[in-house]
Amino acid sequence: MDSILVRGGAELNGRIPIAGAKNACLALMPATLLTEEPLTLTNAPRLSDISTMALLLESLGVDVATRDDGRELALASHGLSGHRADYEIVRRMRASILVLGPLLAREGRAVVSLPGGCAIGARPVDLHQMAMEALGAELELRDGYLHAHAPQGLRGAGIDFPIVSVGATENALMAATLARGTTVIRNAAREPEIVDLAQCLRRMGAQIEGEGTSTITIEGVERLTGATHPVVIDRIELGSYMIAPAITGGRVECLGGARALVANFADKLEEAGIRVEETADGLATHRTGERVRAVHVITEPYPGFPTDLQAQMMALLATADGVSILEERIFENRFMHAPELARMGADIEVHGGTATVRGVPRLRGAPVMATDLRASVSLVLAGLGAEGETRVARVYHLDRGYETVEQKLRACGADIERIRET
Ligand code: EPZ
């Protein structure tokens, strides 16, 4: 398992290209199951999660070709050979559950392994199940698999989510495009990745209104056509790199960044004393003082502060001037980066879903362990500002969601390298 070695202290200056959104691409790829015609995705990120989704779709009979050095995905589902998403693949990536809705809509049946939990929480799929049943499918949980079928096809329905779920909204949205009649999804997730999926489905001939708001209305159609769609930029990679110069000093411009994608997060950075500039090519950030100010962060569904940027924000606030509070309200166990940051000298107290961070002048490099995708990048960010060497182990977590992180940071002056472990 590879590690990343960071020698802290270098100021960061330069430009970082931001890739297409992992979490948009992982929903867009299963949309190919909704049509026999080819779906081409451009600006796709080159990440291990994308390769895992490609493997899953190929196991169902989808042809997946990559072009342009992996940035373009050509998907063709003219003849599906199966409707079973095996545990071996699903356990590696929860987003595999996103084949459930499209398979039911296209084939009228699906057998999808329960994803199982992950480091940050139990990650149940009851809301996915509720949505499919509302659309007329029958689902049975047997030997770790969801067995779903809709012998009479899917019919439009009202789907009222008790809590906001990105994945369940995506499954419901995709399934409803081919259901007979009208579907209204209430308390729908409003993330930019949902908007991107709806725009792609509309290019394929779906009739959708309201994406980006809490109520999405879909008129089912007989069939969908192929399309070519550019994956929206990754707002979480964007936010992660916006924080970097605030930790090290210097100024970094994130190419392709748009403030609208990270509005709440950018407001919070400015509250902490970080300048966020909209430039001709993206967003540039730099610290306005020697230390950032302490702030209070509460993670919420979009457009609130993203849970996927909580760990990175904690790395920044570990050396803020004052006491910060971070409330994680989306996942039940998303503070595993806290004890690792504490190894570097951070002063953090966790009680349930609330972390209290007392800023210290500077962290000290140490060997630390990545536990999940966003925790791993927060440790790299902390290492950039720490005194001495930080070695982040198990960076396969990092490779799931960040393209060539060491190259992007080294190009801005970071002293960072990947240690290949045999
Ligand atoms: C998506 O996960 C993202 N993953 C996550 O990003 C992100 O953290 C999350 O949305 C929240 O924004 C992808 O898009 C592939 P949810 P998802 O359903 O869809 C509970 C990353 O780092 N819930 O919005 O699984 C759930 O336990 C990853 O890129 C149910 O109770 O998240 C959680 O507490 C991590 N029942 C809350 O809802 C369900 O059936 C929000 O989960 C589904 C979810």
Side-chain angles (χ1 to χ4, degrees), residues 16 33 52-53 76 100-101 104 159 176 184-185 190 216 241 246 321 345 358 403:
I16 294 182
L33 296 166
T52 305
M53 180 59 82
L100 175 64
L104 271 175
I159 300 173
V184 180
I185 305 173
R190 301 169 53 189
I216 305 177
Y241 287 123
D321 182 9
R358 289 175 176 76
E403 277 187 11

Side-chain angles (χ1 to χ4, degrees), residues 1-290:
M1 286 185 257
D2 293 1
S3 299
I4 281 193
L5 192 62
V6 187
R7 292 180 191 85
E11 199 177 83
L12 295 188
N13 288 288
R15 303 163 66 135
I16 294 182
I18 304 300
K22 166 179 84 78
N23 291 349
C25 202
L26 290 174
L28 291 164
M29 291 171 76
T32 184
L33 296 166
L34 295 167
T35 177
E36 301 202 356
E37 296 182 19
L39 173 64
T40 301
L41 300 174
T42 59
N43 192 40
R46 292 171 299 187
L47 302 166
S48 57
D49 267 11
I50 302 305
S51 309
T52 305
M53 180 59 82
L55 265 180
L56 171 58
L57 293 174
E58 283 170 337
S59 76
L60 300 173
V62 175
D63 290 333
V64 182
T66 55
R67 299 188 199 121
D68 184 18
D69 192 20
R71 292 215 175 285
E72 184 173 302
L73 299 173
L75 307 158
S77 311
H78 31 71
L80 294 187
S81 60
H83 55 277
R84 179 187 172 89
D86 256 3
Y87 177 60
E88 271 321 298
I89 295 184
V90 176
R91 70 182 177 80
R92 291 184 353 223
M93 186 187 61
R94 292 192 70 272
S96 307
I97 189 77
L98 295 175
V99 301
L100 175 64
L103 277 175
L104 271 175
R106 166 81 176 274
E107 297 273 293
R109 56 188 178 152
V111 178
V112 180
S113 166
L114 280 185
C118 72
I120 63 178
R123 312 294 292 276
V125 292
D126 56 315
L127 299 178
H128 297 251
Q129 198 165 337
M130 181 208 88
M132 295 305 110
E133 286 168 347
L135 293 170
E138 290 165 23
L139 283 82
E140 185 200 351
L141 182 55
R142 209 168 55 235
D143 53 15
Y145 281 77
L146 264 181
H147 293 259
H149 64 284
Q152 281 79 35
L154 299 178
R155 62 173 191 279
I159 300 173
D160 298 278
F161 284 121
I163 61 168
V164 172
S165 162
V166 171
T169 300
E170 289 165 341
N171 252 330
L173 176 57
M174 286 191 280
T177 58
L178 293 179
R180 283 188 315 280
T182 306
T183 296
V184 180
I185 305 173
R186 293 184 189 86
N187 202 21
R190 301 169 53 189
E191 274 69 2
E193 293 75 33
I194 304 278
V195 173
D196 201 44
L197 175 61
Q199 287 170 346
C200 177
L201 292 169
R202 192 175 291 118
R203 277 202 171 97
M204 295 166 68
Q207 292 181 23
I208 301 168
E209 281 178 18
E211 71 275 10
T213 75
S214 299
T215 303
I216 305 177
T217 304
I218 305 105
E219 288 301 332
V221 295
E222 276 297 307
R223 57 188 294 280
L224 294 181
T225 63
T228 296
H229 178 79
V231 178
V232 68
I233 189 172
D234 193 322
R235 62 194 169 94
I236 304 303
E237 186 192 23
L238 170 61
S240 304
Y241 287 123
M242 286 169 72
I243 282 180
I247 290 178
T248 62
R251 179 178 181 274
V252 169
E253 182 180 17
C254 294
L255 305 181
R259 187 171 183 130
L261 286 171
V262 287
N264 180 296
F265 170 73
D267 293 349
K268 194 54 73 174
L269 289 187
E270 286 175 335
E271 192 186 323
I274 294 147
R275 180 97 169 74
V276 178
E277 280 172 79
E278 295 186 74
T279 69
D281 298 323
L283 288 181
T285 45
H286 67 273
R287 208 169 50 197
T288 55
E290 263 315 292

